[in-house]
């Protein structure tokens, strides 16, 4: 079922779900007028549907602005949708009948939250022994060694995440201490950019600590306390630089921020 409302076209995709599109005539008077027109179409469609969707080409910046400011939240990217000219990525927007109105603070914050940039965060722990060696993990999914830690979950404290990852992967209950280093990693080999936060794990007796380790074998192949020379040998160059920068800041006089360890 479909319905034309001037330049806005609404079609029912499935029970309770509508798809809204608009033509170039919707923006002939400018994007602000287009927003008002599309918003009216969305609100009218929500009177008979629980969900209204729009798919906007990823290269259509104006269309994305119209979709956003008409009150629809960005939900993700639909990759390679087939079109006559070939596959084209589209951004999926949607509004639910139960969403808070965008003229209310909660609704406006949720709208902004749907499209503002998000950055991956990784929490790592710098664990040392009395000789100044650093605890490294040999990982199953890459050849390089790395500091213990892992990806911060959505809405999780990076400090809490770091201790959680060390507990899950090594069965070591070590509180993450002071933040030693913030290291930005640029996009690389299919990964988006990320921020790595290195927390102080303190100084420990190496033999006693290793004796308590229970490895999560799916991710951790081995571990060892390593000298700076062994860190340089076993780690990727940017990881070795990060470890060196974090070590330099243990006393508080090293860099607090680096990019790829520099």
């Amino acid at each position: 079922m479909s319905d034309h409302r001037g330049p806005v076209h609404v079609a029912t995709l499935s029970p309770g779900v509508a798809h809204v599109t608009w033509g170039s005539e919707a923006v002939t008077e400018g994007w602000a007028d287009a927003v008002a027109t599309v918003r009216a179409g969305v609100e009218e469609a929500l009177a008979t549907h629980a969900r209204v969707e729009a798919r906007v080409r990823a290269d259509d910046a104006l269309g994305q602005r119209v979709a956003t400011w008409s009150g629809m939240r960005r939900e993700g990217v639909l990759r390679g949708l087939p079109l006559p000219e070939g596959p084209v990525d589209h951004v999926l927007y949607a509004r639910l009948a139960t969403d808070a109105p965008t003229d209310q603070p909660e609704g406006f914050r949720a709208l902004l939250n749907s499209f503002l940039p998000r950055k991956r965060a990784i929490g790592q722990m710098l664990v040392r022994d009395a000789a100044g060696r650093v605890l490294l993990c040999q990982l199953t999914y890459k050849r390089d060694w790395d500091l213990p830690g892992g990806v911060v979950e959505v809405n999780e404290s990076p400090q809490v995440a770091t201790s959680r990852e060390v507990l899950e992967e090594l069965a070591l209950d070590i509180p993450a201490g002071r933040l030693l280093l913030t290291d930005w990693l640029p996009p690389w080999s299919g990964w988006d950019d990320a921020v790595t936060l290195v927390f102080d794990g303190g100084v420990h007796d190496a033999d006693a600590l290793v004796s308590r380790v229970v490895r999560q074998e799916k991710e951790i192949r081995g571990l060892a306390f390593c000298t700076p020379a062994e860190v340089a040998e076993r780690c990727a160059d940017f990881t070795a630089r990060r470890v060196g920068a974090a070590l330099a800041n243990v006393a508080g006089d090293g860099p607090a921020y680096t990019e790829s360890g520099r």
Side-chain angles (χ1 to χ4, degrees):
M1 183 178 68
S2 63
D3 185 14
H4 289 276
R5 309 174 193 276
V8 177
H9 176 241
V10 178
T12 298
L13 297 178
S14 60
V17 181
H19 181 235
V20 60
T21 58
W22 55 92
S24 58
E25 65 272 20
V27 294
T28 53
E29 299 300 323
W31 83 272
D33 289 334
V35 166
T37 300
V38 174
R39 181 188 293 123
V42 169
E43 293 299 331
E44 193 167 349
L46 284 172
T48 53
H49 298 81
R51 173 183 172 90
V52 177
E53 298 180 355
R55 299 177 179 184
V56 183
R57 290 175 61 117
D59 57 2
D60 182 3
L62 179 58
Q64 292 176 46
R65 290 178 67 195
V66 170
T68 296
W69 297 113
S70 66
M72 289 186 283
R73 301 181 192 179
R74 179 182 172 122
E75 293 189 340
V77 177
L78 302 171
R79 297 183 301 129
L81 292 183
L83 293 179
E85 65 268 33
V88 177
D89 291 351
H90 284 67
V91 181
L92 177 65
Y93 293 87
R95 182 162 184 80
L96 307 183
T98 55
D99 285 343
T102 56
D103 60 357
Q104 296 180 4
E106 180 184 355
F108 185 65
R109 289 194 295 266
L111 183 68
L112 292 180
N113 189 60
S114 75
F115 70 85
L116 288 175
R118 299 182 182 185
K119 198 174 295 293
R120 183 179 295 109
I122 301 166
Q124 294 189 328
M125 187 177 290
L126 187 75
V127 177
R128 294 160 286 130
D129 68 3
R133 297 181 302 172
V134 175
L135 180 65
L136 294 181
C137 293
Q138 185 182 24
L139 305 175
T140 60
Y141 49 87
K142 64 179 183 179
R143 291 181 297 176
D144 304 322
W145 292 54
D146 210 338
L147 293 171
V151 175
V152 181
E153 301 291 345
V154 176
N155 297 325
E156 183 182 29
S157 153
Q159 192 171 35
V160 169
T162 302
S163 294
R164 173 186 57 76
E165 286 283 346
V166 172
L167 182 62
E168 290 176 354
E169 295 183 349
L170 303 176
L172 294 175
D173 188 6
I174 304 175
R178 182 171 65 91
L179 178 64
L180 298 175
L181 183 70
T182 300
D183 184 35
W184 178 71
L185 296 175
W188 175 79
S189 189
W191 287 102
D192 290 338
D193 72 325
V195 172
T196 300
L197 305 172
V198 182
F199 294 92
D200 191 359
V203 178
H204 301 261
D205 180 279
D207 293 336
L209 184 141
V210 171
S211 70
R212 304 200 314 268
V213 168
V214 179
R215 290 183 292 109
Q216 185 185 71
E217 295 186 357
K218 288 184 178 179
E219 295 193 30
I220 308 298
R221 181 177 291 116
L223 73 161
F225 277 89
C226 299
T227 65
E230 290 169 332
V231 170
E233 178 183 345
R234 299 184 183 193
C235 296
D237 56 355
F238 61 89
T239 302
R241 290 194 297 268
R242 182 189 311 132
V243 172
L247 280 171
N249 204 31
V250 167
D253 55 1
Y257 173 80
T258 55
E259 297 185 354
S260 288
R262 295 188 176 92

